[in-house]
Amino acid sequence: MAANKEIPYKIYLEESEMPRQWYNVRADMKNKPAPLLNPETLKPMTFDELRPVFCDELVKQELDDTDAYIDIPEEIQKFYKMYRPSPLVRAYCLEEKLQTPAKIYYKFEGNNTSGSHKLNSAIAQAYYAKQQGLKGVTTETGAGQWGTALSMACSYFGLDCQVYMVKVSYEQKPFRREVMRTYGAKVTPSPSDTTAVGRKILAEHPGTGGSLGCAISEAVEAATSQEGYRYVLGSVLSQVLLHQTVIGLETKTAMDKYGIVPDMIIGCAGGGSNLGGLISPFVGEMLRGERNYDIIAVEPASCPSLTRGKFVYDFCDTGHVCPLAKMYTLGSEFIPSPNHAGGLRYHGMSSILSQLYHDGYMTARSVEQTAVFEAAEQFARVEGILPAPESSHAIRVAIDEALKCKETGEEKTILFGLTGTGYFDMVAYEKYNNGQMTDYIPTDADLQAGFDRIPKFPGNEI
Amino acid sequence: MAANKEIPYKIYLEESEMPRQWYNVRADMKNKPAPLLNPETLKPMTFDELRPVFCDELVKQELDDTDAYIDIPEEIQKFYKMYRPSPLVRAYCLEEKLQTPAKIYYKFEGNNTSGSHKLNSAIAQAYYAKQQGLKGVTTETGAGQWGTALSMACSYFGLDCQVYMVKVSYEQKPFRREVMRTYGAKVTPSPSDTTAVGRKILAEHPGTGGSLGCAISEAVEAATSQEGYRYVLGSVLSQVLLHQTVIGLETKTAMDKYGIVPDMIIGCAGGGSNLGGLISPFVGEMLRGERNYDIIAVEPASCPSLTRGKFVYDFCDTGHVCPLAKMYTLGSEFIPSPNHAGGLRYHGMSSILSQLYHDGYMTARSVEQTAVFEAAEQFARVEGILPAPESSHAIRVAIDEALKCKETGEEKTILFGLTGTGYFDMVAYEKYNNGQMTDYIPTDADLQAGFDRIPKFPGNEI
């Protein structure tokens, strides 16, 4: 640990410094995240109940809350070397623009074709599927970041990849679809006539544009009805958060190398896997009583699961085919207003992050989308990277905090996660550029309608 | 120079190893590129004739064929540090896939928001404009890579940026347009009613989709008719090639550091600035008799300026407002078939590269676009990067050469330039994915029609 070295614009670790194990923060949590429940028995899901849906090794990771370190298989390490380590960037230009005494760093996960951190888990999930001798995997995708990442991972391992893409996105984001097809994935607009649940929905709602919940249901059915297939998911689950700790581990190593200690760590939170991955090694220090950090989850005001949701058991999916998870939730049937362009639309939150938030290890803040795009534009113009709308939530709060430092004169060190690039989000940018972007905050009544649909059972009253 | 170190997947230079000077290969050329000519007097363009159009410092660089090294101003070095050094990647996965004994490296210039190497020159040109106290710059853009890069550079220096974008691209590539607008550029579809030449063309050809030649004419008129503006160009000119030598200098330093000597250097060639930038330091060694490399320029079969063009004086632009340059050309009115989706549509070639090619320092090869997209897809699937169609021309030949090595058992070291990413080229990928891509090779008669329009004067017969 060498302090006072001159900090370069971008800190890249050597390959030899890259993590060889993921860090499982649950091992250090005194209050473990509550187990997934079988919605029929209301008992914790067992290994055997989960393995028809997920790969065996991933089920093990999902259920493991005691092993602090889990080896990253060599094949995954090899793939990580193709696009990692990702740079830890000192935002010198943004600091100068803001005239702030704060020191701002961001860990940039957008330098790969999937355009985001999603690839970190996609490659792990594809690897375990391949190891298990499976033919392929199924998944759903909305905006397409996850589907793209999974297509890349499957193409690398020669696995079949079937993506159910929300129909309205399939039609409105043809470029995302083509990237997936270029990587060999089969992309089906959902709802489709390829599954029973899809046909049922089509019969009931002809002409529907689909939803993430519907696409999940189709993907799960496709996985469980085909020999040699499993279903994979891009966020929310503890296994995904585990894989994403590669982000935080690299960040911590890079900061330690230069003797940098962040006062504040900021990340956007949808399902929570990127934020969880970034903060895990830092939260580990907090849990072990070694050090303290100010950790802030940022979510859209239009989908405020942490700041306005309930900490209860709820379905992970709108179609109610998945287990119940204890988490901060707006209700599995809550759907953000259609004017919301900024991503992070998930109704719930990783159960690990939910527990940490509940126990006071992090705070949360909600921001409105026009302010988010303002921050995105400001960042792009000085730092040169066009950020994804999701990532820009973190930028908004990082800028706000840096401006507070300007007022108070504090030289805080701010770290934030820049999860991806916005190349496929230009429709939202266009709206912003044309001054047509509007904000939306759900009323208490809107939220209550979502809460009313949360399953009620003894111990799960709101 | 340390040989036999283990070669990482990606070689990143330290900031302290980044170039502080560009290398002006003309200084080492015995046969200098022929000077630009004034089309009216047929005499070499002077500093005073060029300075109403270009910034003073850039005119100096354009005319300087004797200084081997030109300092990179500190402000530009600082900006380069935001997105450079770019990685030199060992294509381990591609080698494995091809089962070739060849060692393949690529220098990847797509890891910045402009998505390509264009930013290397855009930032330099914007800097000199700012230094000269100008208000802004004008330019044209077709597909939009150059316009995007220039918008970013101007935004960084607070310069006004006016981009004339070929109307058909403006309409078909709205996302490129929005990226430029996000960086604060004013983007006008060309032809427009904002210039005399635009109004004239609109009157003669109502409803036209425009062309690069027309957009250049509008941009030049806009620059010369507004106080405090100059015109900038993204390729072809010697100044642009000079700035792009940062690519080759980084590559050479990284290779020297690990004791790697390429046998073969491959790059795509449109206007020639990326290829010229990559090869300059290596060609310098050839020119000084120190070492030999096999250098290959790759161009589309549908726009074959090196392989089928004439080495004569011709206009740099279709609108004939620019000086004459001696280069390999298909005639300034040659336009590739509309079915050509792969970029590199320029009718001519950098006069530096043209001279080097004429003198036998490099060879050229033309490839058809379906084969180019095949290579792009193969590369994307194993190396994870979705390449721009332009860059994929180089991939095609790199793969062909690696497969030759497989047959012969030769362990050649192949280096190629991967100039950018294809995120905004998904319409072309979609065509390929749907099996609708076709090839086109101009007939001799097609080419003759272009040659016939090349200006004839004593010493410039074909």
Side-chain angles (χ1 to χ4, degrees):
Chain A
M1 202 190 288
N4 300 324
K5 267 195 221 176
E6 198 189 331
I7 314 285
Y9 272 67
K10 299 185 299 304
I11 305 175
Y12 281 108
L13 298 178
E14 302 286 326
E15 283 181 5
S16 58
E17 298 168 312
M18 288 173 66
R20 291 168 191 208
Q21 297 181 306
W22 293 300
Y23 167 60
N24 183 7
V25 69
R26 287 170 290 177
D28 284 316
M29 291 170 72
K30 265 178 222 144
N31 299 329
K32 307 283 184 195
L36 295 173
L37 294 188
N38 180 322
E40 289 178 23
T41 64
L42 298 180
K43 286 186 180 156
M45 292 291 288
T46 63
F47 179 77
D48 286 332
E49 284 175 318
L50 286 167
R51 58 189 301 236
V53 180
F54 299 114
C55 302
D56 292 0
E57 200 57 36
L58 291 168
V59 175
K60 280 186 206 159
Q61 292 179 0
E62 193 63 33
L63 299 176
D64 182 352
D65 58 10
T66 52
D67 294 310
Y69 289 94
I70 292 173
D71 288 342
I72 305 175
E74 284 208 3
E75 270 287 292
I76 300 179
Q77 287 189 45
K78 190 177 152 196
F79 189 91
Y80 278 170
K81 284 181 191 169
M82 280 173 59
Y83 71 99
R84 309 196 66 82
S86 71
L88 176 67
V89 187
R90 173 78 183 265
Y92 282 116
C93 297
L94 181 61
E95 291 171 19
E96 199 178 305
K97 181 79 182 177
L98 299 174
Q99 293 281 305
T100 176
K103 296 172 189 67
I104 309 175
Y105 294 86
Y106 55 91
K107 179 73 167 168
F108 180 43
E109 292 290 315
N111 267 353
N112 68 73
T113 287
S114 83
S116 80
H117 65 290
K118 295 280 186 191
L119 194 54
N120 301 329
S121 183
I123 193 65
Q125 297 193 47
Y127 168 80
Y128 290 118
K130 187 70 181 178
Q131 281 305 100
Q132 199 174 320
L134 298 176
K135 284 186 206 151
V137 292
T138 72
T139 199
E140 76 292 329
T141 201
Q145 271 185 345
W146 167 245
T148 306
L150 189 68
S151 306
M152 290 175 66
C154 287
S155 143
Y156 183 76
F157 285 120
L159 278 173
D160 187 36
C161 180
Q162 301 178 358
V163 181
Y164 287 87
M165 187 171 187
V166 176
K167 191 188 254 171
V168 60
S169 298
Y170 182 91
E171 283 160 4
Q172 288 177 0
K173 294 202 166 190
F175 293 173
R176 271 283 185 210
R177 180 188 77 208
E178 291 307 322
V179 177
M180 290 184 254
R181 289 182 69 205
T182 300
Y183 284 96
K186 188 176 151 206
V187 188
T188 307
S190 168
S192 75
D193 61 4
T194 67
T195 64
V197 64
R199 287 187 294 271
K200 182 160 173 278
I201 293 168
L202 281 174
E204 286 168 12
H205 307 280
T208 175
S211 74
L212 210 54
C214 162
I216 293 178
S217 307
E218 288 205 83
V220 172
E221 180 184 324
T224 49
S225 62
Q226 291 176 92
E227 183 71 30
Y229 280 75
R230 290 293 184 282
Y231 168 70
V232 297
L233 190 64
S235 190
V236 188
L237 296 173
S238 298
Q239 58 186 267
V240 183
L241 192 149
L242 175 72
H243 307 146
Q244 295 298 355
T245 61
V246 69
I247 304 173
L249 292 163
E250 279 185 10
T251 305
K252 185 95 177 56
T253 304
M255 291 195 132
D256 286 350
K257 196 172 166 180
Y258 285 88
I260 307 161
V261 181
D263 296 296
M264 188 171 271
I265 308 173
I266 301 166
C268 63
S273 67
N274 106 74
L275 176 64
L278 174 63
I279 65 174
S280 276
F282 299 95
V283 168
E285 292 183 304
M286 293 171 77
L287 291 164
R288 296 187 302 268
E290 296 164 6
R291 201 171 239 163
N292 249 317
Y293 302 98
D294 189 0
I295 294 178
I296 308 175
V298 190
E299 57 187 17
S302 55
C303 191
S305 46
L306 285 172
T307 50
R308 297 176 70 194
K310 304 290 183 188
F311 187 45
V312 291
Y313 268 105
D314 193 11
F315 285 99
C316 295
D317 66 309
T318 317
H320 297 186
V321 298
C322 296
L324 297 168
K326 185 158 182 199
M327 58 184 176
Y328 279 86
T329 177
L330 299 168
S332 64
E333 291 176 45
F334 178 86
I335 292 178
S337 153
N339 86 339
H340 176 64
L344 308 172
R345 306 174 135 264
Y346 188 62
H347 68 276
M349 183 57 62
S350 143
S351 60
I352 295 175
L353 286 194
S354 292
Q355 190 64 50
L356 290 171
Y357 177 64
H358 190 70
D359 292 344
Y361 288 99
M362 53 187 248
T363 57
R365 213 171 284 181
S366 75
V367 290
E368 296 181 43
Q369 70 177 355
T370 305
V372 165
F373 276 84
E374 257 168 40
E377 184 190 270
Q378 188 170 20
F379 180 83
R381 290 189 180 185
V382 292
E383 289 290 319
I385 294 168
L386 187 80
E390 295 81 2
S391 325
S392 305
H393 287 70
I395 299 175
R396 174 72 274 162
V397 171
I399 290 177
D400 290 345
E401 290 298 321
L403 290 175
K404 277 187 207 161
C405 288
K406 186 179 177 176
E407 278 179 30
T408 63
E410 284 175 289
E411 295 184 17
K412 283 192 183 172
T413 296
I414 299 171
L415 164 67
F416 72 91
L418 188 71
T419 54
T421 50
Y423 302 125
F424 292 97
D425 301 288
M426 294 318 297
V427 170
Y429 271 99
E430 182 174 14
K431 229 178 186 177
Y432 175 75
N433 290 337
N434 291 338
Q436 293 161 345
M437 183 159 275
T438 53
D439 291 316
Y440 168 77
I441 300 179
T443 64
D444 287 342
D446 292 336
L447 294 186
Q448 193 55 50
F451 296 149
D452 289 343
R453 306 296 192 89
I454 292 172
K456 309 291 182 298
F457 54 85
N460 204 49
E461 288 80 17
I462 293 176
Chain B
M1 204 189 290
N4 301 324
K5 267 195 223 177
E6 198 188 332
I7 314 286
Y9 272 66
K10 300 185 297 308
I11 305 174
Y12 280 108
L13 296 179
E14 302 286 326
E15 284 182 5
S16 59
E17 298 168 310
M18 287 173 67
R20 292 171 189 205
Q21 297 181 306
W22 292 300
Y23 167 60
N24 184 8
V25 70
R26 287 170 291 177
D28 283 315
M29 291 170 72
K30 263 177 223 145
N31 299 330
K32 308 283 183 195
L36 294 172
L37 294 188
N38 180 322
E40 289 178 24
T41 64
L42 298 180
K43 288 189 181 153
M45 292 291 288
T46 63
F47 179 78
D48 286 331
E49 284 174 319
L50 286 167
R51 58 189 300 235
V53 181
F54 300 114
C55 302
D56 292 359
E57 200 57 35
L58 291 167
V59 175
K60 279 186 208 160
Q61 293 179 359
E62 194 62 34
L63 299 177
D64 181 352
D65 59 10
T66 52
D67 294 309
Y69 289 94
I70 292 174
D71 288 342
I72 305 176
E74 285 209 358
E75 270 287 293
I76 299 178
Q77 287 190 44
K78 189 176 151 196
F79 189 92
Y80 278 170
K81 284 181 191 167
M82 282 173 57
Y83 71 100
R84 310 197 65 84
S86 71
L88 176 67
V89 188
R90 172 78 183 264
Y92 282 115
C93 298
L94 181 63
E95 291 170 21
E96 200 178 305
K97 181 78 181 177
L98 299 175
Q99 292 282 304
T100 175
K103 296 173 187 68
I104 309 176
Y105 293 86
Y106 55 91
K107 179 73 168 169
F108 180 42
E109 292 290 316
N111 268 353
N112 68 73
T113 286
S114 84
S116 80
H117 66 290
K118 296 280 185 190
L119 194 53
N120 301 329
S121 183
I123 194 63
Q125 296 193 46
Y127 168 80
Y128 291 118
K130 186 70 181 179
Q131 281 304 100
Q132 198 174 320
L134 298 177
K135 285 184 205 152
V137 293
T138 71
T139 200
E140 77 292 327
T141 202
Q145 272 186 345
W146 167 245
T148 306
L150 189 68
S151 305
M152 290 176 65
C154 287
S155 144
Y156 183 76
F157 285 119
L159 277 174
D160 187 38
C161 181
Q162 302 178 357
V163 181
Y164 288 85
M165 187 172 188
V166 176
K167 190 187 253 171
V168 61
S169 298
Y170 181 92
E171 284 160 4
Q172 287 177 359
K173 294 203 166 188
F175 294 172
R176 271 283 184 209
R177 180 187 77 207
E178 290 309 321
V179 177
M180 289 184 256
R181 288 182 69 204
T182 300
Y183 284 95
K186 188 177 151 207
V187 188
T188 306
S190 169
S192 74
D193 60 5
T194 66
T195 64
V197 64
R199 287 187 295 271
K200 181 160 174 277
I201 294 168
L202 280 173
E204 286 168 10
H205 308 279
T208 174
S211 73
L212 210 54
C214 161
I216 293 178
S217 307
E218 287 204 83
V220 172
E221 180 183 325
T224 50
S225 63
Q226 291 175 91
E227 183 70 30
Y229 281 75
R230 290 294 184 282
Y231 167 70
V232 298
L233 190 64
S235 189
V236 187
L237 296 173
S238 298
Q239 57 186 268
V240 183
L241 192 150
L242 175 73
H243 307 146
Q244 296 297 355
T245 61
V246 69
I247 305 172
L249 292 164
E250 280 185 11
T251 305
K252 186 95 179 51
T253 304
M255 292 196 132
D256 285 350
K257 195 171 166 179
Y258 285 88
I260 307 161
V261 181
D263 296 297
M264 190 171 269
I265 307 173
I266 300 166
C268 63
S273 67
N274 106 75
L275 176 64
L278 173 64
I279 66 174
S280 275
F282 299 94
V283 168
E285 292 182 304
M286 294 171 77
L287 290 164
R288 297 188 300 269
E290 296 163 7
R291 199 169 241 163
N292 249 318
Y293 302 98
D294 189 0
I295 295 177
I296 308 175
V298 190
E299 58 186 14
S302 55
C303 191
S305 46
L306 285 171
T307 50
R308 297 176 70 195
K310 304 290 181 187
F311 187 45
V312 291
Y313 267 106
D314 193 9
F315 285 99
C316 295
D317 65 308
T318 318
H320 296 185
V321 297
C322 295
L324 297 168
K326 185 158 183 199
M327 57 184 176
Y328 279 86
T329 177
L330 299 167
S332 64
E333 291 174 45
F334 178 85
I335 292 177
S337 155
N339 86 340
H340 175 65
L344 309 173
R345 308 175 133 262
Y346 188 62
H347 69 276
M349 182 57 62
S350 142
S351 60
I352 295 175
L353 286 194
S354 293
Q355 189 64 50
L356 289 171
Y357 177 64
H358 191 70
D359 292 344
Y361 289 98
M362 53 186 249
T363 57
R365 212 171 285 181
S366 75
V367 290
E368 295 180 44
Q369 70 177 358
T370 305
V372 165
F373 276 83
E374 259 168 40
E377 184 190 88
Q378 188 170 18
F379 180 82
R381 290 188 181 187
V382 292
E383 289 290 319
I385 294 169
L386 187 80
E390 294 82 2
S391 324
S392 305
H393 287 70
I395 299 176
R396 175 71 275 163
V397 171
I399 289 178
D400 290 346
E401 291 298 321
L403 290 175
K404 275 187 208 161
C405 288
K406 186 179 178 177
E407 279 180 29
T408 62
E410 284 175 289
E411 296 184 16
K412 282 191 183 173
T413 296
I414 299 171
L415 163 67
F416 72 89
L418 188 70
T419 53
T421 51
Y423 303 125
F424 293 96
D425 300 288
M426 294 319 296
V427 170
Y429 272 98
E430 182 174 13
K431 228 178 184 175
Y432 175 74
N433 291 335
N434 290 338
Q436 293 162 345
M437 183 159 275
T438 52
D439 290 317
Y440 167 77
I441 300 179
T443 63
D444 287 342
D446 292 336
L447 294 186
Q448 192 56 50
F451 296 149
D452 288 343
R453 306 296 191 90
I454 292 173
K456 310 288 183 298
F457 55 86
N460 204 50
E461 289 78 19
I462 294 176

